[in-house]
Amino acid sequence: MQRLEKKHPRAVRWMHWINVPVLSIMIWSGLLIYWANDVYDVGVGGITLFHFFPDWFYRALDLEHGLAMGMAYHFTFMWFFAVNGFLYVVYTILSGEWRHLLPNRYTPREAWNVVLHDLRLHKGPLPRAKFNGAQRLAYTGVILMGAGSLLTGLAIYKPTQLSWLTSVLGGYAWARAEHFALTAGYVLFFLIHIAQVIRAGWNNFRAMITGYELVLTEDTSHA
Amino acid sequence: MPDLKLASARLSSAAELEMRRLTRRSFLVGGAAALAGLGAWRWLTRATPEDGLAWPLRRTLGLNQRLAEGLFSPRRLAPTFPDERVQGPARTNGLVGLSDNVDAAAWQVHVEHEGRDAKQAITVRAVQDLPRADLVTELKCVEGWTEVMHFGGVRFLDLVKRFSLATRSGRAPDPDNNPGDLYRYVYLATPDQDYYVGLDMASALHPQTLLCDTMNWQPLTREHGAPLRLYLAVKYGFKSLKHIGLIRFQDQRPPDYWADRGYDWYAGL
């Protein structure tokens, strides 16, 4: 037998989905800005493995010669990003949702089991909870990353008036690199998030839109 | 057994029907929200441009500016560095408005005040008679690169005090006690006004705003704006005008070369 179970509050669903276009616009405009001084590489011992970014990448996404426009979009949509994130944190605190989201003492062990489970190395069933340990780490971590983006962003937005912040973050060039690395982190988060949502299936995805999940009830009378 | 299954199916269908109803409603609301978002995006990207930027973006940059001006303090300074951090020759970027006329001995900076006919011409020598100021700090280019550089010259603040500039009354400026006497903006340009910058008065009078005759302890070269250039620690590099020919104090917001080309007018750091 099935019944409906409330999963995601309305406010969380709205803030989650608003983040999709807002973060997309922030990353796109950030790339327009980065193009004007694209100095980051990943390499080992002086050998460059990957340059951020190859020319074909900029060309394919039309990211060339858009610094002024990129800055204007970035410094407009930063407000939506900041306000949305701020409201989310306030909401999770006031509503008590934080209890489902913050890591607790069971989290590390549970997260490890989830990883083993997802890698097909562990066959046991996962604990039935709104969010498992891996999710708690991921969803708390990504909020901390958001705060990091705000701080590193402010440090490179007003490096003279907020020079104390820029200095704490290691100076202007470091703060810029940290801002970039956090964005790379979002993209990584996003890829894993999408893969997990696809794996979890329709019922789980639908809950982020409707707020409800269909769950099997254990009907003892039929047992 | 078949009866039980049937009963269970009928029972679960109530939940499923409710789920279906919820799903339909939520997808309709979500779809409408997505369409509204797309509409807003179309509106934004097609809004009438003001100086190369859609007007809502230009307006938001204006709001950001007002907020930054409200929180601005001349006591907050850009970090300075030991002299050894200056490496090699200074990078050049942008030659608009430069000319081969860099004769410091004959050079004059013309100074004007809005609504006043009297014009002044100040020689490089007169500027150099002011107290020396040296600054080793990090130039920040709007493109995203930075470079630790030395700037040597005099404070813009000392210049306006010495020559009683920037005030409506024509008296020496007193930003702390009589800020209302100051004009709101400064316009600076190369002699032929091919390159020009607009500054808010607070940024112009910041203690790290210099009129420079040396960079990295060498006399200014033609490419770096000889014989006299500006340096501001509170702005991106494109506001640090080279080859200064004209300084005008005014209440109307002056034009700015890069702001006319889609960049933020304030560009404050």
Side-chain angles (χ1 to χ4, degrees):
Chain A
M1 202 172 117
Q2 288 180 311
R3 62 180 174 81
L4 291 184
E5 195 176 85
K6 181 84 184 146
K7 194 175 185 190
H8 303 299
R10 185 189 303 271
V12 167
R13 281 177 282 139
W14 275 103
M15 291 186 276
H16 169 271
W17 287 113
I18 285 170
N19 233 351
V20 174
V22 169
L23 207 51
S24 304
I25 292 167
M26 287 308 278
I27 293 175
W28 164 72
S29 55
L31 287 169
L32 289 173
I33 296 169
Y34 174 73
W35 169 85
N37 185 40
D38 63 337
V39 288
Y40 303 137
D41 293 313
V42 274
V44 183
I47 303 161
T48 301
L49 296 175
F50 184 76
H51 174 63
F52 294 102
F53 290 92
D55 284 342
W56 62 260
F57 176 82
Y58 295 117
R59 266 200 302 275
L61 296 176
D62 195 18
L63 296 170
E64 298 167 298
H65 307 285
L67 174 60
M69 186 173 77
M71 292 177 84
Y73 276 101
H74 213 65
F75 300 148
T76 297
F77 281 86
M78 67 179 184
W79 289 110
F80 295 96
F81 178 74
V83 169
N84 195 40
F86 178 76
L87 290 179
Y88 174 82
V89 170
V90 169
Y91 176 82
T92 48
I93 292 170
L94 296 183
S95 66
E97 276 294 301
W98 62 269
R99 287 188 193 87
H100 303 290
L101 287 158
L102 283 187
N104 56 30
R105 63 199 162 102
Y106 306 110
T107 296
R109 189 185 170 79
E110 206 180 294
W112 181 240
N113 284 339
V114 172
V115 171
L116 292 180
H117 180 268
D118 288 352
L119 296 173
R120 307 266 190 275
L121 295 171
H122 183 279
K123 291 264 189 281
L126 290 174
R128 229 186 81 68
K130 185 164 174 176
F131 297 121
N132 64 43
Q135 287 176 300
R136 282 173 186 262
L137 286 180
Y139 300 154
T140 301
V142 81
I143 294 304
L144 293 177
M145 284 164 62
S149 286
L150 279 183
L151 291 175
T152 53
L154 273 173
I156 51 181
Y157 183 48
K158 299 289 171 195
T160 299
Q161 289 292 303
L162 297 176
S163 63
W164 60 271
L165 178 63
T166 315
S167 300
V168 165
L169 294 169
Y172 185 88
W174 272 107
R176 186 176 187 261
E178 289 152 11
H179 198 68
F180 183 89
L182 282 165
T183 309
Y186 290 131
V187 175
L188 211 63
F189 173 93
F190 184 69
L191 293 176
I192 297 171
H193 187 55
I194 298 290
Q196 294 287 44
V197 167
I198 291 171
R199 278 171 50 119
W202 173 244
N203 195 30
N204 171 72
F205 174 76
R206 186 175 51 190
M208 203 56 196
I209 295 170
T210 63
Y212 289 88
E213 211 168 30
L214 270 178
V215 293
L216 283 171
T217 50
E218 266 131 73
D219 201 334
T220 44
S221 66
H222 296 287
Chain B
M1 200 57 195
D3 284 351
L4 275 178
K5 251 189 190 165
L6 208 65
S8 154
R10 211 173 309 139
L11 277 173
S12 69
S13 75
E16 273 172 5
L17 281 176
E18 176 64 4
M19 189 74 235
R20 225 170 285 164
R21 195 184 64 79
L22 277 172
T23 306
R24 201 163 39 234
R25 199 183 61 182
S26 298
F27 270 86
L28 276 174
V29 172
L35 278 178
L38 271 178
W41 181 251
R42 263 174 76 103
W43 167 80
L44 177 59
T45 50
R46 290 166 191 210
T48 315
E50 279 176 18
D51 298 330
L53 272 187
W55 70 261
L57 298 176
R58 198 48 98 181
R59 222 53 75 79
T60 310
L61 293 186
L63 283 175
N64 293 347
Q65 171 180 345
R66 250 171 288 163
L67 187 65
E69 284 183 308
L71 297 171
F72 182 91
S73 165
R75 277 174 289 280
R76 284 196 286 268
L77 304 176
T80 54
F81 300 88
D83 294 355
E84 313 83 77
R85 285 285 303 275
V86 178
Q87 299 284 326
R91 182 167 169 172
T92 47
N93 199 27
L95 304 172
V96 181
L98 303 186
S99 69
D100 289 325
N101 168 24
V102 295
D103 181 4
W107 191 262
Q108 289 187 322
V109 178
H110 297 272
V111 180
E112 298 172 10
H113 290 80
E114 187 182 69
R116 207 190 299 168
D117 283 338
K119 290 182 177 151
Q120 277 168 281
I122 297 174
T123 62
V124 174
R125 172 60 59 82
V127 171
Q128 286 166 334
D129 280 345
L130 290 160
R132 294 296 299 180
D134 287 274
L135 194 59
V136 175
T137 187
E138 199 175 33
L139 175 100
K140 279 139 198 129
C141 178
V142 71
E143 293 167 0
W145 52 268
T146 62
E147 192 167 288
V148 175
M149 292 167 71
H150 161 261
F151 296 94
V154 305
R155 285 181 183 180
F156 193 79
L157 180 62
D158 290 338
L159 177 92
V160 295
K161 282 186 171 167
R162 168 73 61 89
F163 293 98
S164 296
L165 310 177
T167 57
R168 297 192 182 88
S169 65
R171 287 195 292 268
D174 185 2
D176 294 327
N177 301 313
N178 192 9
D181 194 25
L182 292 166
Y183 282 95
R184 292 179 62 193
Y185 299 104
V186 192
Y187 171 79
L188 296 102
T190 55
D192 49 18
Q193 299 196 46
D194 280 350
Y195 196 88
Y196 46 93
V197 298
L199 301 174
D200 55 292
M201 188 58 78
S203 296
L205 300 186
H206 186 274
Q208 291 177 321
T209 299
L210 306 183
L211 283 176
C212 306
D213 54 8
T214 56
M215 263 170 60
N216 293 359
W217 300 280
Q218 300 297 316
L220 279 188
T221 60
R222 177 188 172 276
E223 289 73 25
H224 285 304
L228 212 54
R229 72 167 297 166
L230 190 66
Y231 171 75
L232 295 110
V234 288
K235 299 286 183 195
Y236 281 120
F238 72 77
K239 291 277 191 184
S240 290
L241 184 93
K242 299 170 178 179
H243 201 51
I244 302 171
L246 171 68
I247 302 176
R248 186 163 66 225
F249 299 94
Q250 55 188 66
D251 282 321
Q252 201 198 345
R253 197 180 82 165
D256 185 274
Y257 184 87
W258 285 108
D260 286 346
R261 286 156 180 79
Y263 287 83
D264 180 22
W265 185 89
Y266 186 64
L269 300 178

